[in-house]
Amino acid sequence: MKPKYNIPCNIAQSLNIIGDRWTLLIIHEILNGNTMFNEIKKALNGISSNLLSERLRYLEEEGLIVSELYSQHPPRYSYNLTTSGRDLEHVFNALIVWGSNHLKKCYKRLIDPSTGDEVGIAYYSLKTGEMVHDIQVVEELTESRN
Amino acid sequence: MKPKYNIPCNIAQSLNIIGDRWTLLIIHEILNGNTMFNEIKKALNGISSNLLSERLRYLEEEGLIVSELYSQHPPRYSYNLTTSGRDLEHVFNALIVWGSNHLKKCYKRLIDPSTGDEVGIAYYSLKTGEMVHDIQVVEELTESRN
DNA sequence: TTTACAAAGTTGATTTTTTGAACTTAGTAT
DNA sequence: ATACTAAGTTCAAAAAATCAACTTTGTAAA
């Protein structure tokens, strides 16, 4: 079945869910308000129906989107993000910022709407809310038997 | 040749460079100090030599890594990140944070090493350095002829 | 009341990628 | 000599993505 990364790392495990071709772009379109099958298909120049259909099904299984029946009789669904899908926004923003710095041609930028200043990625403490200038990745202790 | 997303968006264009299977994980291993071919291969359980070799070649073409000859006679290279490769760190961190909130099993967390507090993603103004609480994605104006 | 058209898919053949295993080349260690 | 390692390359087999055609239910127009 699905070929998955068998690597003990958040990044690899996250990519097992959102790393397939088109997947992040599909979520991004839904985030941008394109909630219907054909809206998404039209926005994603080149994706085929069967693949879009399969990806949507998989993302729903994984809990990143929910499909809502908006017409009974020809059954028609609109696709919306769950919290976990919406939380990918920071990943999108990190990609937009990276792209604006390193792509030959940049299409989008992140700005502070109150000042117009361009913004970059930072980190803040969940406890205090203050910006944190130095960060560290720590390994979760593997809980052994007890 | 390479199937690429033909979509005018930083995210799609960035994924054209770093969105192939294994690519982000390879860069992440180099960032973590695994700079030799077999170190990367060993860390990435399941990747095959030919694919690793092809991905490294492509990433060098795209300017995300540089290979440095460290032994002349059996030609041996070590792989290191350029600035553009290193700048993907924010993307990795965004994925680590997303994973720590939404994966069934979390392997890593981001903390402030001075306090031990867990951290989340924020944004700051490139001009003032201050944290920005509201952000907006703006489309780059397409430069027409002049 | 046919005819046309759209939305949301499904089916199946073709093409492209990825995997997996074996092989190579140059060198070091025993 | 023999074994073993690093860093790949080559090629066959398997898996995934693309592409085009088709289906189903319904709405709009002639």
Side-chain angles (χ1 to χ4, degrees):
Chain A
M1 5 227 106
K2 282 240 148 206
K4 299 213 170 222
Y5 300 122
N6 177 25
I7 298 167
C9 169
N10 284 19
I11 298 172
Q13 297 302 315
S14 299
L15 291 176
N16 277 336
I17 299 174
I18 55 161
D20 291 331
R21 189 161 157 78
W22 295 107
T23 297
L24 269 179
L25 298 180
I26 293 168
I27 298 170
H28 187 234
E29 288 307 324
I30 300 176
L31 186 70
N32 282 349
N34 292 56
T35 64
M36 282 187 297
F37 190 91
N38 276 5
E39 284 178 350
I40 301 170
K41 188 166 183 330
K42 233 158 275 171
L44 298 181
N45 190 350
I47 195 174
S48 56
S49 303
N50 55 353
L51 199 61
L52 176 53
S53 166
E54 190 193 303
R55 292 290 192 264
L56 289 168
R57 209 176 309 126
Y58 181 68
L59 286 172
E60 184 158 30
E61 268 176 37
E62 293 292 331
L64 279 77
I65 67 178
V66 273
S67 62
E68 191 192 346
L69 197 69
Y70 72 82
S71 149
Q72 206 99 39
H73 235 264
R76 258 114 187 78
Y77 297 91
S78 75
Y79 300 92
N80 289 281
L81 298 181
T82 61
T83 306
S84 101
R86 229 170 299 115
D87 280 358
L88 284 169
E89 190 157 12
H90 296 301
V91 175
F92 294 131
N93 289 333
L95 283 168
I96 289 172
V97 169
W98 186 83
S100 70
N101 291 133
H102 299 291
L103 286 173
K104 278 166 208 136
K105 173 149 185 23
C106 169
Y107 298 89
K108 290 176 182 173
R109 278 176 201 286
L110 237 50
I111 62 160
D112 173 352
S114 67
T115 61
D117 292 353
E118 195 166 348
V119 305
I121 306 293
Y123 302 91
Y124 75 101
S125 160
L126 296 188
K127 192 177 292 170
T128 68
E130 291 296 301
M131 196 158 136
V132 161
H133 294 276
D134 189 26
I135 56 161
Q136 200 186 349
V137 178
V138 290
E139 215 95 359
E140 201 79 342
L141 10 203
T142 57
E143 41 243 68
S144 5
R145 54 232 89 281
N146 54 345
Chain B
M1 7 227 107
K2 281 240 150 207
K4 299 212 171 226
Y5 300 122
N6 178 24
I7 298 167
C9 168
N10 284 19
I11 298 173
Q13 297 302 315
S14 299
L15 290 177
N16 277 336
I17 299 174
I18 54 162
D20 291 331
R21 189 160 157 78
W22 296 107
T23 296
L24 268 179
L25 298 180
I26 292 167
I27 298 170
H28 187 234
E29 289 307 324
I30 300 176
L31 186 70
N32 282 348
N34 293 62
T35 63
M36 283 187 296
F37 191 92
N38 275 5
E39 284 177 348
I40 300 169
K41 190 167 182 327
K42 233 158 275 171
L44 296 181
N45 191 349
I47 195 175
S48 56
S49 303
N50 56 352
L51 199 63
L52 176 53
S53 165
E54 190 193 303
R55 292 291 192 262
L56 288 169
R57 208 176 309 128
Y58 182 67
L59 286 172
E60 185 159 28
E61 267 178 37
E62 293 292 331
L64 279 78
I65 67 177
V66 273
S67 61
E68 191 194 345
L69 197 69
Y70 72 82
S71 148
Q72 206 99 38
H73 235 260
R76 257 118 189 76
Y77 297 90
S78 77
Y79 299 93
N80 289 282
L81 298 180
T82 61
T83 306
S84 101
R86 228 170 300 115
D87 280 358
L88 285 169
E89 190 158 11
H90 297 302
V91 174
F92 294 131
N93 288 334
L95 283 168
I96 290 173
V97 169
W98 185 83
S100 70
N101 291 134
H102 299 292
L103 286 173
K104 278 166 209 136
K105 175 149 184 22
C106 168
Y107 298 90
K108 291 174 181 173
R109 277 176 201 288
L110 238 50
I111 62 161
D112 173 352
S114 68
T115 61
D117 292 353
E118 196 166 347
V119 305
I121 305 293
Y123 302 91
Y124 76 101
S125 160
L126 296 187
K127 190 178 290 168
T128 68
E130 291 296 300
M131 197 157 135
V132 161
H133 294 276
D134 190 25
I135 56 162
Q136 200 185 349
V137 178
V138 290
E139 217 96 358
E140 201 78 342
L141 8 210
T142 57
E143 43 243 66
S144 6
R145 54 232 88 281
N146 54 344

